[in-house]
Amino acid sequence: MTLIDRYRGRLPVTSRTPIVSLGEGNTPLIRADRLAKAAGLRPGSVHLKFEGTNPTGSFKDRGMTVAMSKALEEGSRGVLCASTGNTAASASAYAAKAGLRCVVFLPRGAVALGKLMQAIMHGAEIVEVAGNFDAALKAALRIAAEQDFTVVNSSNPFRIEGQKTAAFEVAEVLGRAPDFQFMPVGNAGNITAYWKGYKELGGARTHMMGFQAAGAAPLVLGHMVRDPKTVATAIRIGDPYSKASALAARDESGGMIGSVTDGQILAAYRFLAHEEGVFCEPASAAGVAGLLKLARAGRKPRGTVVCVLTGHGLKDPDTAARFAPRRRAFTPGRRFEL
Ligand code: AN7
């Protein structure tokens, strides 16, 4: 069953909406006892919502199935987005499936290799922007409005509607919403979507704990960042579109939005792959880095904890390659000691 069919009653679709699906959603919630131990928490209290198993390898697919289905229903002439990579990869694939034109505005030199390859293979029209994501988004919104293209960034409310289904899945598996949720924050659509999802389930109780990279932390600093910098290119965003709803999620839930350094992000990224067997992309590890940072400062969460891992590690082979281990040589015919 498609994600839209599974949650049809809670999504803005009708029997006339043509569904564009690639088999998104229904991602695993993985018990993470080594992570729990590292954070000083009880076994069984920490889970990873691994969104890397979505069709294009990120959570964007949940929103894209709804946004693309609605674009098709509305007779759109084409879709357009600005992206740090994952939105572009997802839009490219779903537009290919829908048979719609897809134009992606990408910050030059700042998109992980795997994401760029996805956009290329799905036949998107790629526009290189001489500037960062914030400049690309501004241009994309203006050009799409002028020329009547459908924007499939998270400014499109159908994206948020689709992405809130992840909260439903988490609550279904746990039997109720978690006490704490740790997640990365970039353009701030996903924290907005999860909070909407938990609220729709009633009795919202999950503390929303969002983490930005220290070099790209406008929601922590309280002002936009002109030249955002971080190894986690997915969240290299200085002026988040959904900042108001992200701050509302933080305040309504009694949560926080904090920052983690690139060193903390890469340590969490490596820990998850090494100790939990889950390979996510660097940005995805920001929430886990935040959990470990708070735990080390003696601010341990109580109850059940979910960390959202937003994208697959294979998206960004160049960052993984930095961790090249010692390699041993084998010569055929010689004995090899294990
Ligand atoms: C892996 O693709 O903004 O806070 O243009 O790819 O909802 O923006 C990606 C964001 C977290 C942040 N993790 O989510 C884009 C883009 C990964 C991401 C985020 C992104 P939002």
Side-chain angles (χ1 to χ4, degrees), residues 59-60 83-87 184-190 234-235 237 281 310:
F59 70 99
K60 305 285 183 182
S83 179
T84 57
N86 278 327
T87 298
V185 174
N187 215 24
N190 208 30
I235 53 172
I237 295 175
E281 66 173 282
T310 45

Side-chain angles (χ1 to χ4, degrees), residues 250-313:
R250 175 195 68 185
D251 297 339
E252 291 169 23
S253 74
M256 68 171 284
I257 296 180
S259 67
V260 283
T261 64
D262 279 6
Q264 290 167 331
I265 288 172
L266 291 176
Y269 164 72
R270 185 171 178 281
F271 180 92
L272 289 167
H274 260 241
E275 307 296 326
E276 293 291 357
V278 179
F279 186 26
C280 66
E281 66 173 282
S284 302
V288 171
L291 169 63
L292 293 171
K293 177 183 171 178
L294 290 190
R296 248 176 253 121
R299 297 168 61 194
K300 283 195 284 188
R302 281 171 195 283
T304 55
V305 174
V306 167
C307 298
V308 181
L309 305 182
T310 45
H312 203 288

Side-chain angles (χ1 to χ4, degrees), residues 116-173:
L116 191 56
M117 296 306 112
Q118 290 176 288
I120 289 170
M121 287 310 298
H122 292 305
E125 299 167 45
I126 297 172
V127 183
E128 277 196 335
V129 178
N132 59 27
F133 169 82
D134 303 294
L137 180 59
K138 223 175 267 170
L141 294 176
R142 179 175 54 75
I143 292 165
E146 284 168 4
Q147 302 182 40
D148 196 27
F149 260 54
T150 305
V151 175
V152 292
N153 281 100
S154 53
S155 55
N156 180 329
F158 299 131
R159 278 274 316 277
I160 303 295
E161 289 300 311
Q163 283 173 215
K164 78 185 179 189
T165 60
F168 301 159
E169 290 180 10
V170 168
E172 279 165 28
V173 173

